[in-house]
Amino acid sequence: MAASVARVTTISVRSDTSFEDAVRVGVERASQTLRNVSGAWIKDQKVELTDGKITSFHVVLEVSFVLDD
């Protein structure tokens, strides 16, 4: 039986649009640099405010990828 080993890396992403956009951009960017990206989960999220209005959305993602043999 073959075993696989995965690694998890943390990335931080900011979007002026939405949390969903930040997650999408983060996963797409991670996939450009890391091979075998297999999943991601949101570790933290927050918004930045100016004069009581949301100006940006921040997410911290844990991205997992399977290591090459």
Side-chain angles (χ1 to χ4, degrees), residues 4-5 10 23 27 35 37 43-44 47 53 55 59 62 66:
S4 62
V5 177
T10 304
V23 171
V27 169
R35 290 188 306 273
V37 172
K43 182 176 180 180
D44 194 20
V47 294
K53 295 187 180 186
T55 55
V59 294
E62 297 285 332
V66 178

Side-chain angles (χ1 to χ4, degrees):
M1 182 169 136
S4 62
V5 177
R7 181 172 181 154
V8 177
T9 190
T10 304
I11 62 172
S12 178
V13 188
R14 184 182 68 81
S15 170
D16 295 335
T17 308
S18 66
F19 286 122
E20 183 178 339
D21 185 57
V23 171
R24 182 186 57 76
V25 169
V27 169
E28 287 176 1
R29 180 62 179 91
S31 295
Q32 291 174 2
T33 304
L34 303 170
R35 290 188 306 273
N36 306 319
V37 172
S38 61
W41 65 94
I42 299 167
K43 182 176 180 180
D44 194 20
Q45 60 185 22
K46 66 179 182 176
V47 294
E48 188 174 298
L49 304 172
T50 302
D51 297 326
K53 295 187 180 186
I54 296 173
T55 55
S56 63
F57 301 83
H58 298 257
V59 294
V60 175
L61 297 174
E62 297 285 332
V63 178
S64 59
F65 56 100
V66 178
L67 299 177
D68 292 337
D69 291 336

